[in-house]
């Protein structure tokens, strides 16, 4: 009835140009690179400093011309203890890929002292050259009391024209 029509009707909204979503479209899928680890990675608090997740990286070679699109997914079981949260970033040659906030408020992958499954996606364009894609973690609270734990993770890098 009328409720169904209302539910499918597009909602109008005004989006400020400074907050518009970043467009990161791609074409035909070219390749999948995936890494999986079942051994846990435990680390002490970092007070915002990044640490590589061991093994959670791949090398991608950009196209001869133009750009390719990478859709990067990282999923893991997580546990965090501390006063802030466990942050997660993906870097291309040590440069963070969006979503990334360089304002003291990094992407919060988890903030719970319980075992939870979490997943995040990143999208970026790459051009000619070698691109080292690396997952990094950090904690935002006190480095002397924080700790993070990541287990049973999968890193997937889908490449599109």
């Amino acid at each position: 009835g009328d409720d169904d029509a209302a539910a499918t009707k597009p909602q109008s909204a005004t989006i400020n140009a400074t907050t518009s979503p970043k467009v990161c479209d791609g074409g035909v899928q070219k390749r999948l690179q995936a890494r999986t680890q079942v051994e846990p990675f435990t680390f002490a608090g970092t007070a915002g400093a990044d640490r590589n997740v061991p093994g959670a990286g791949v090398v991608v070679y950009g196209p001869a011309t133009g750009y390719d699109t990478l859709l990067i997914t990282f999923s893991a079981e997580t546990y965090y203890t501390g006063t802030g949260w466990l942050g997660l970033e993906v870097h291309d040659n040590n440069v963070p890929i969006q979503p990334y906030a360089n304002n003291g408020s990094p992407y919060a992958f988890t903030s719970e002292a319980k075992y939870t499954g979490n997943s995040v996606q990143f999208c970026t364009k790459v051009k000619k050259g070698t691109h080292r894609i690396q997952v990094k973690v950090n904690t935002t609270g006190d480095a002397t009391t924080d700790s993070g734990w990541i287990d049973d993770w999968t890193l997937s890098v889908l490449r599109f024209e």
Side-chain angles (χ1 to χ4, degrees), residues 33-77:
Q33 292 174 267
R35 306 292 181 267
T36 299
Q37 175 60 270
V38 298
E39 295 297 324
F41 170 54
T42 303
F43 59 99
T46 69
D50 292 332
R51 291 206 44 199
N52 289 348
V53 175
V58 298
V59 174
V60 174
Y61 299 100
T65 61
Y67 291 88
D68 280 351
T69 302
L70 301 181
L71 179 60
I72 303 160
T73 304
F74 186 79
S75 302
E77 184 181 10

Side-chain angles (χ1 to χ4, degrees), residues 100-156:
Y100 167 75
N102 190 16
N103 62 1
S105 182
Y107 186 90
F109 197 52
T110 190
S111 61
E112 294 186 285
K114 58 175 135 171
Y115 299 99
T116 58
N118 296 290
S119 186
V120 62
Q121 289 188 309
F122 299 81
C123 190
T124 192
K125 303 282 187 177
V126 294
K127 59 183 179 179
K128 184 178 183 177
T130 302
H131 299 269
R132 287 175 177 76
I133 306 300
Q134 178 65 51
V135 177
K136 297 176 180 270
V137 290
N138 58 63
T139 63
T140 61
D142 185 337
T144 63
T145 58
D146 280 9
S147 67
W149 180 87
I150 292 178
D151 191 20
D152 302 325
W153 58 258
T154 298
L155 167 66
S156 300

Side-chain angles (χ1 to χ4, degrees), residues 17-25 70 96-99 122-125:
T18 60
T19 60
S20 294
K22 176 185 171 190
V23 176
C24 192
D25 298 336
L70 301 181
I97 297 171
Q98 294 294 329
F122 299 81
C123 190
T124 192
K125 303 282 187 177

